[in-house]
Amino acid sequence: MKSEKLLFKNSILLLLLFFLMALGCRQQIAAKDKIRGKWHSEDGKTRLTITQKEFTLDEGDEPIAENYFVKGDSIFTSYQGSRPFTKFTIKNLLDKSLTLVYPDSTSVNFMRQ
C-alpha cells in the first residue's frame, strides 16, 4: 500500500517536472522567434538582421554575419564560433520595436522593417 502511494506521488512529480520543462523551453523558443527579422535603428544609421542562425549588424562598414544564441534576456554572438562571446542585452522587445544594450552599455532602439 505504501509503495503504491509512493509510486503515485513520484508519477505526479515527474509529470509536473516534465510540464515545467516544456513550458520553459517553449517560452525561450518564442522569444527567439520574436526577435527574428529585419530591424533598423530610429536614426536609420544601423540595420540589424536576425535569422534562425545569424545575427548581422550593419553600421555602415562591411556587415559581418555572426552565429548567436539567446539565453534569458541576452543575445550572445560570436564570429565563426570564436570566443569570447559578445553580449547584447534585450531591454525591451515588442512586435514592432526592440531595444538592445550593446556591450559598451549604449542603448539602441530598433524598429521592425
Side-chain angles (χ1 to χ4, degrees):
M1 192 67 139
K2 288 184 179 182
S3 64
E4 290 175 2
K5 287 182 181 180
L6 185 61
L7 181 63
F8 180 73
K9 286 181 182 179
N10 287 341
S11 299
I12 296 295
L13 288 175
L14 188 61
L15 284 172
L16 181 63
L17 178 66
F18 177 75
F19 175 74
L20 291 175
M21 286 177 52
L23 182 64
C25 292
R26 186 174 141 230
Q27 287 176 345
Q28 185 146 356
I29 290 170
K32 191 172 182 179
D33 286 341
K34 199 171 186 181
I35 65 170
R36 289 186 190 148
K38 293 185 178 188
W39 303 86
H40 61 87
S41 62
E42 289 181 336
D43 61 6
K45 294 180 181 179
T46 305
R47 297 198 185 287
L48 173 65
T49 305
I50 302 174
T51 64
Q52 185 174 359
K53 295 183 181 185
E54 294 180 334
F55 178 96
T56 307
L57 195 58
D58 183 0
E59 296 179 319
D61 298 331
E62 185 176 328
I64 298 173
E66 300 183 50
N67 299 329
Y68 79 98
F69 64 93
V70 177
K71 186 172 184 182
D73 65 346
S74 299
I75 301 171
F76 295 90
T77 66
S78 68
Y79 181 67
Q80 296 181 345
S82 63
R83 292 185 181 185
F85 296 108
T86 305
K87 179 182 175 185
F88 295 87
T89 304
I90 302 169
K91 189 173 181 182
N92 186 17
L93 177 59
L94 300 173
D95 289 336
K96 301 284 182 179
S97 67
L98 166 68
T99 303
L100 279 184
V101 178
Y102 283 37
D104 63 356
S105 299
T106 304
S107 181
V108 179
N109 295 319
F110 290 93
M111 306 302 286
R112 191 177 295 274
Q113 290 183 337

